[in-house]
Amino acid sequence: MAAYLEFEDKIKKIEDDIIIAKTKADEHAVDILEKKLEKEVEKTFKNLSDYQKLQLARHPDRPYSLDYINGLLTNAYEIHGDRHYVDDHAIVCYLGYINDQKVLVIGEQKGRGTKDKLFRNFGMPNPEGYRKALRAAKMAEKFQIPILMLVDTPGAYPGIGAEERSQSEAIARNLYEFADLTTPTVSVVIGEGGSGGALAISVADKLAMMRYSVYAVISPEGCSAILWNDPSKVETAANALKITAENLKELNLIDDVINEPLIGAHRKKEEAILALKEYFLNSLTELKKLTPEERSNKKYEKIMNLGSFLEK
C-alpha cells in the first residue's frame, strides 16, 4: 500500500476517488479526476519547501540502490567482501551491462521492512563497506570499466566497532583513492546524502543529484539539536543547511540535477530509473571524449574549487 506524506493528502484523496470511479466504470469521472490530479500535482510539487524535499528524499517508497540496479543492469554479478573483515550489506557492488556498456555500480542500500533494514544496517556502512567499494573500484579501474555510484545513506555507522576498525580512515582512504581513479566515474545522490558516509562514494568525474534528493554535512535533526537544542527547529535547520539539489547546483557543489518525475521517484519508479540511465550514458559519452589525464585534471580542478566564493 502506497504511503503518503502530509502535504500529499489532497493527491491521495483524488487518487482514491479515481479508484472508486474506475470500479464503477465511470470513464467520464475518471477523465475529470485525472485532469484534476495533474493540476494538484503541479500545484503541490512546484512549491515544495526544503523540508518537504527532505521528506521526499526519505520517503519509504522511494527507489533504493537495488531498485536502480535491478532496473538498469543486465547480466548482473554481485561482488562481495573487502578481503579483510566481512561483507558489509549496507554497500552493494554489481558488475553488469547498461545497454551494451559494461559498468560497475556501487550503491548504498537502506533496506525495506524490519528484517531487511537490520540486515542492511539502515543504509549506514561500516569501514568494511567502504573498503569493499574501493576494492571493486580498483578492479574496475584495472579493466577501464566505468563506475556508477549511488548515494543514499543517513551517514556512516557511528558504532564502537566501526570506530575500532578505523571508520574515519576508511572514508579518508576512499576520498583519496577515488579522486585518483583513471576510469570514468559518475556519482548520483538518489535519496539522502548524509555527511562523510555519502562523501566516501561521491568523489567522481561527475556528481549529480536526483531532483528530490538531499545532501548535507549533518542531518537537520542533528543541526537543530546542536545549534538550538530544540528538535522543533528541524525546518529552520533544513532551510539554513541548503541541502536540496537546486541549492547545491547554485553553489557549484554538484554538476547536475536529474529531473526525476515531478510527482517524485516514489510514485513513478520506472521513469526515475530511465532518467538516471539517460544521465549516466550521456555523461559517459562526454567523459569518454577526454583522455584519462584530462579527466584527472578536470576532477582535480573541481575538487580544489569546492567552497570557493566571490566577495561582493
Side-chain angles (χ1 to χ4, degrees), residues 126-180:
N126 279 282
E128 46 273 15
Y130 297 118
R131 292 176 179 134
K132 174 171 71 171
L134 179 58
R135 181 177 79 83
K138 283 292 187 180
M139 181 178 66
E141 181 184 41
K142 182 177 180 180
F143 298 101
Q144 284 299 293
I145 299 171
I147 302 172
L148 170 62
M149 293 173 273
L150 305 175
V151 179
D152 190 16
T153 179
Y157 185 58
I160 292 175
E163 296 300 328
E164 288 174 342
R165 298 190 301 278
S166 302
Q167 180 75 286
S168 58
E169 186 278 335
I171 293 173
R173 173 64 59 181
N174 274 27
L175 301 182
Y176 177 79
E177 297 285 359
F178 275 74
D180 201 39

Side-chain angles (χ1 to χ4, degrees), residues 73-74 88 110 112 119 152 154 188 204 211 224 257 274 291 294:
L73 291 184
T74 56
D88 186 355
K110 286 183 172 179
R112 297 192 191 282
F119 181 71
D152 190 16
V188 179
R211 189 207 300 255
S224 63
V257 178
L274 181 60
T291 65
E294 288 172 332

Side-chain angles (χ1 to χ4, degrees), residues 209-224:
M209 293 176 66
M210 300 297 283
R211 189 207 300 255
Y212 300 132
S213 63
V214 296
Y215 199 9
V217 68
I218 189 173
S219 70
E221 291 84 358
C223 178
S224 63

Side-chain angles (χ1 to χ4, degrees), residues 172-231:
R173 173 64 59 181
N174 274 27
L175 301 182
Y176 177 79
E177 297 285 359
F178 275 74
D180 201 39
L181 290 176
T182 59
T183 193
T185 53
V186 177
S187 184
V188 179
V189 184
I190 59 171
E192 187 177 11
S195 194
L199 194 61
I201 59 168
S202 292
V203 179
D205 295 308
K206 298 270 278 186
L207 173 59
M209 293 176 66
M210 300 297 283
R211 189 207 300 255
Y212 300 132
S213 63
V214 296
Y215 199 9
V217 68
I218 189 173
S219 70
E221 291 84 358
C223 178
S224 63
I226 292 170
L227 291 185
W228 297 291
N229 195 28
D230 184 355

